[in-house]
Amino acid sequence: WLLSGEGEMINSTECEVIKSLATTINQNYIGSPYYNVDFIGGFDLLMNDQTINPDFYINYPPYNKDGVVWVNLTGRSMEPELNQGDIIALKPVTTPIQYLPIGEIYAIVTDEYRTVKRIRLSERPGYIWLIPSNTSPEYQEQEIPINMITKVYAVLGSIRKFF
C-alpha cells in the first residue's frame, strides 16, 4: 500500500486484532470492575473504607478475569514502575504470604491501611519487609508482622492517567 498506493492501509484482520486489544470504559458490566479506592504508594495512614459497588468497568482483555479489580494508586514510593494517579489491576492471592514469589509487586491490606510494595521475607519469623521501588531517602523499607495483613493482591499492571 505504501509503495504502490494500491489496496487498503490496514486490512480487516489487523483492525480486528487492534479492536480486541483496545481498552474501553463502560457501564455495561464488560471487563473488570473499577472501584474508586486508593492504595497508597507510601506508608501514609489511610482509613481503610471499602467500596461495595464499582464505579464502572474497564474492558482490557488481558485482565478480564475472575476476581480482577481496578483501583487507584496514590503516592510516589513505587516510581518509576507505578506512578501517582495510575489505575492498577489487582488479583486476589490465596497463597500464604510466606510462599509468594519474592520481588513481585503486591497490594497489601491491613485494618488501617492499603499499600503497594514489593515483599521480602524477614529473618524474624512471622514478619515481612515492604520494599518501595523509589530509592529516594523519604521512602524506606518497612518490616511488618504477617498477622497484621488481612488481604494480599498481586499487582498485574497499570493504566497511566493523563489528566
Side-chain angles (χ1 to χ4, degrees), residues 45-98:
L45 183 64
L46 174 72
M47 295 316 292
N48 197 8
D49 61 333
Q50 299 298 318
T51 302
I52 296 173
N53 297 319
D55 285 17
F56 51 82
Y57 287 74
I58 297 176
N59 184 18
Y60 181 55
Y63 298 147
N64 291 353
K65 298 177 179 148
D66 286 340
V68 173
V69 298
W70 294 88
V71 298
N72 304 315
L73 180 71
T74 304
R76 302 189 183 283
S77 73
M78 293 307 290
E79 289 180 349
E81 296 167 294
L82 299 171
N83 293 305
Q84 161 85 11
D86 284 358
I87 297 175
I88 55 176
L90 305 179
K91 181 172 176 52
V93 173
T94 56
T95 303
I97 201 162
Q98 299 91 323

Side-chain angles (χ1 to χ4, degrees), residues 141-152:
E141 295 181 3
Q142 182 180 24
E143 187 179 37
I144 67 167
I146 292 172
N147 64 8
M148 200 173 145
I149 298 168
T150 60
K151 190 80 175 159
V152 177

Side-chain angles (χ1 to χ4, degrees), residues 5-31:
E6 296 177 17
E8 295 187 32
M9 184 171 77
I10 298 177
N11 68 38
S12 60
T13 306
E14 290 171 336
C15 283
E16 291 305 314
V17 169
I18 290 168
K19 286 180 185 175
S20 72
L21 294 175
T23 302
T24 61
I25 294 174
N26 64 84
Q27 299 287 343
N28 302 326
Y29 307 103
I30 299 170

Side-chain angles (χ1 to χ4, degrees), residues 42-43 113 115 117 128-132 140-144 148:
F43 296 112
Y113 64 88
T115 190
K117 298 284 178 284
I128 63 163
W129 284 97
L130 301 178
I131 305 164
Q140 300 293 317
E141 295 181 3
Q142 182 180 24
E143 187 179 37
I144 67 167
M148 200 173 145

Side-chain angles (χ1 to χ4, degrees), residues 25-45:
I25 294 174
N26 64 84
Q27 299 287 343
N28 302 326
Y29 307 103
I30 299 170
S32 296
Y34 163 79
Y35 294 92
N36 191 12
V37 171
D38 292 332
F39 275 75
I40 300 298
F43 296 112
D44 299 329
L45 183 64

Side-chain angles (χ1 to χ4, degrees), residues 96-117:
I97 201 162
Q98 299 91 323
Y99 303 109
L100 291 175
I102 307 171
E104 297 296 321
I105 300 174
Y106 295 95
I108 306 293
V109 179
T110 71
D111 287 338
E112 296 178 1
Y113 64 88
R114 296 180 299 268
T115 190
V116 175
K117 298 284 178 284

